[in-house]
């Protein structure tokens, strides 16, 4: 992969890409259904290794049965495992949800905290989950969510050459204007699902083709995955 261009050029290209994607996806937003920060926290824990679509099917019933952290502590792990089974990794997710619920009731009056440090103390909550909750439930711009779509597109767009989510996030923080830290991953996810797919990206239909160094129209090669 080519080295990133000079920082100022890269920032200008990134701003143009964001501008074009905002125009292409004016309704881009968090696709996990939720009506409060706690529901978003649970949905994000469930979304690990699972599609948002599947999580939304599961939470449609789950959020009727459990409305607050205390509710998740009233049932046995076995019962909660059954309720979330179809999202995969249900034993670990049950431990995370019940562990998080316990800490929220004991330390935070059953409310979801508003800071990165506090969120990272919750069992099963890593930076990605914390960023999703802070950005989408509280409007706090603490960082940039990095998932598989953000990773793939960031490599193709040569925003980063890093491999780990933490380092990719640091590169993105450097070039994405802070005002766009929350919308940016949504734009990447929408574009990744619709056009810049993992296999067979539709470069000939892409609104940011001119700004993309990996377009097969330029390279004649399939973009790196
Ligand atoms: S030009 Fe192709 S590789 Fe580049 S962002 Fe668009 S679809 Fe993805």
């Amino acid at each position: 992969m080519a080295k990133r261009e000079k920082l100022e050029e890269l920032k200008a290209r990134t701003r143009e890409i964001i501008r074009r994607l905002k125009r292409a996806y004016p309704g881009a937003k968090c696709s996990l259904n939720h009506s409060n920060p706690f529901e978003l926290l649970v949905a994000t824990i469930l979304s690990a290794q699972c599609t948002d679509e599947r999580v939304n099917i599961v939470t449609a019933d789950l959020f009727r049965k459990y409305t607050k952290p205390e509710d998740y502590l009233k049932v046995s792990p076995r019962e909660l495992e059954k309720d979330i089974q179809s999202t995969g990794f249900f034993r670990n997710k049950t431990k995370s949800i019940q562990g998080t619920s316990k800490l929220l009731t004991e330390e935070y009056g059953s409310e979801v905290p508003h800071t990165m440090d506090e969120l990272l103390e919750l069992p099963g909550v890593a930076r990605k989950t914390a960023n999703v909750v802070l950005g989408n439930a509280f409007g706090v711009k603490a960082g940039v969510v990095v998932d598989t779509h953000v990773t793939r597109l960031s490599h193709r767009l040569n925003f980063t050459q890093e491999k780990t989510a933490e380092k990719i996030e640091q590169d993105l923080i450097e070039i994405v204007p802070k005002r766009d830290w929350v919308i940016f991953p949504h734009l990447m996810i929408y574009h990744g699902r619709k056009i810049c797919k993992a296999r067979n990206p539709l470069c000939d239909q892409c609104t940011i083709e001119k700004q993309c160094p990996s377009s097969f129209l330029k390279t004649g090669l399939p973009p790196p995955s």
Side-chain angles (χ1 to χ4, degrees):
M1 158 103 30
K3 278 201 167 163
R4 292 201 309 181
E5 64 262 51
K6 284 188 189 138
L7 189 58
E8 285 316 308
E9 288 167 22
L10 178 56
K11 281 184 173 177
R13 185 166 64 88
T14 306
R15 282 197 301 273
E16 179 60 13
I17 286 170
I18 292 170
R19 192 184 70 77
R20 284 169 174 265
L21 292 179
K22 278 182 181 171
R23 210 167 50 192
Y25 309 107
K29 62 178 177 59
C30 178
S31 49
L32 292 169
N33 293 340
H34 63 280
S35 60
N36 58 53
F38 179 60
E39 285 187 355
L40 182 56
L41 178 57
V42 172
T44 311
I45 290 172
L46 293 176
S47 73
Q49 309 290 323
C50 182
T51 64
D52 291 355
E53 216 176 351
R54 164 59 45 194
V55 171
N56 287 339
I57 292 169
V58 169
T59 56
D61 290 331
L62 196 74
F63 293 162
R64 268 196 290 273
K65 180 171 174 182
Y66 307 88
T67 60
K68 51 190 185 305
E70 289 85 342
D71 297 336
Y72 289 93
L73 300 173
K74 283 183 194 151
V75 298
S76 67
R78 186 62 61 85
E79 184 173 341
L80 182 54
E81 283 173 8
K82 243 175 85 185
D83 291 334
I84 64 168
Q85 191 161 13
S86 67
T87 68
F89 300 95
F90 53 90
R91 290 201 180 90
N92 275 342
K93 289 177 183 177
T94 292
K95 275 189 199 135
S96 296
I97 293 170
Q98 290 193 316
T100 284
S101 296
K102 189 165 183 288
L103 205 63
L104 291 181
T105 55
E106 289 173 356
E107 302 284 332
Y108 296 103
S110 298
E111 299 291 330
V112 178
H114 287 50
T115 70
M116 177 64 79
D117 286 348
E118 289 169 319
L119 280 165
L120 290 178
E121 276 178 18
L122 302 173
V125 174
R127 259 196 91 83
K128 181 187 152 204
T129 302
N131 270 327
V132 169
V133 173
L134 287 172
N136 295 283
F138 300 127
V140 173
K141 297 177 181 80
V144 177
V145 172
V146 176
D147 75 346
T148 54
H149 293 289
V150 175
T151 299
R152 184 176 73 256
L153 270 72
S154 294
H155 285 149
R156 288 178 175 173
L157 291 163
N158 207 14
F159 289 157
T160 183
Q161 296 168 36
E162 298 292 350
K163 300 284 181 246
T164 66
E166 289 76 16
K167 288 184 176 171
I168 292 169
E169 185 185 355
Q170 287 315 306
D171 277 352
L172 293 175
I173 281 173
E174 199 182 10
I175 59 173
V176 174
K178 189 164 185 179
R179 63 175 180 273
D180 292 324
W181 282 6
V182 177
I183 191 71
F184 177 82
H186 299 318
L187 296 172
M188 294 281 110
I189 291 165
Y190 273 60
H191 196 57
R193 284 184 181 142
K194 194 168 172 216
I195 302 287
C196 192
K197 302 168 189 221
R199 289 187 191 167
N200 302 324
L202 308 172
C203 301
D204 52 347
Q205 299 174 35
C206 179
T207 187
I208 52 173
E209 193 274 328
K210 278 195 177 64
Q211 290 74 31
C212 176
S214 301
S215 161
F216 69 66
L217 302 182
K218 292 184 189 112
T219 65
L221 300 168
S225 56

